[in-house]
Amino acid sequence: MGIVDFVLHFDKHLLEFVAQYGTWVYAILFTIVFAETGFVVTPLLPGDSLLFAAGALCATGELSMTAMLALLMFAAFAGNSVNFAVGRFIGPRVFTGTYRLLNKAYLDRAHAFFEQHGGKAIVLARFVPIVRTFVPFVAGAAQMTTATFVLYNAVGAVSWVALCLGAGWFFGNIPIIKNNFSLVTIGIVFVSILPMLFEIIAHRRRQRRA
């Protein structure tokens, strides 16, 4: 429940961080975004809500929008890169060798998927909580081409951070939104899932036609 409260009321916690730690809040936000995207064991850390709340504070002058954009884009890119590298190192060892735990055919299918649709998956996953934590790891385990991953990782990081910070900048201080931040957080999660749902529906339709 502590984690849920932290995510749903991150705007209030962020104000407390600014009051207590001053400029160190930039390092705190960098660390949270890096961990949320970089480690498969921390998928419940705030991502969208953090960026939205940070954007709202940037609009009031409490934080620098330029610094937030630069730091959090780099944190998102670096986090996914670490996650991908860990998956690339650990993944094959789970499917092959003495300690084989899973069917290697699944890994081969994942590799084929990421070679064909991986770029789209990397970008879309950025906007889906929890999913964005696991996709780069799976892409690494599936041995997705590194150059392709780096390109779409950069596109996803820039798009995600810019869009969420921008939304917070323009809408975060509107009274009805500011006073109902927990509902806004839930709404952000719902909207974030929509692109993935549309893609799944479209994929199933293509399969039926084939």
Side-chain angles (χ1 to χ4, degrees), residues 84-107:
F84 177 80
V86 172
R88 198 174 182 84
F89 178 77
I90 294 178
R93 290 162 175 76
V94 176
F95 290 89
T96 60
T98 306
Y99 301 102
R100 184 173 60 190
L101 301 176
L102 300 172
N103 191 333
K104 190 176 183 298
Y106 298 149
L107 188 64

Side-chain angles (χ1 to χ4, degrees), residues 85-140:
V86 172
R88 198 174 182 84
F89 178 77
I90 294 178
R93 290 162 175 76
V94 176
F95 290 89
T96 60
T98 306
Y99 301 102
R100 184 173 60 190
L101 301 176
L102 300 172
N103 191 333
K104 190 176 183 298
Y106 298 149
L107 188 64
D108 294 334
R109 290 176 192 168
H111 175 75
F113 171 82
F114 278 103
E115 288 302 303
Q116 186 175 1
H117 307 289
K120 186 187 296 185
I122 296 299
V123 174
L124 286 178
R126 278 288 185 186
F127 297 90
V128 185
I130 299 178
V131 173
R132 65 171 157 261
T133 306
F134 292 100
V135 164
F137 180 86
V138 175

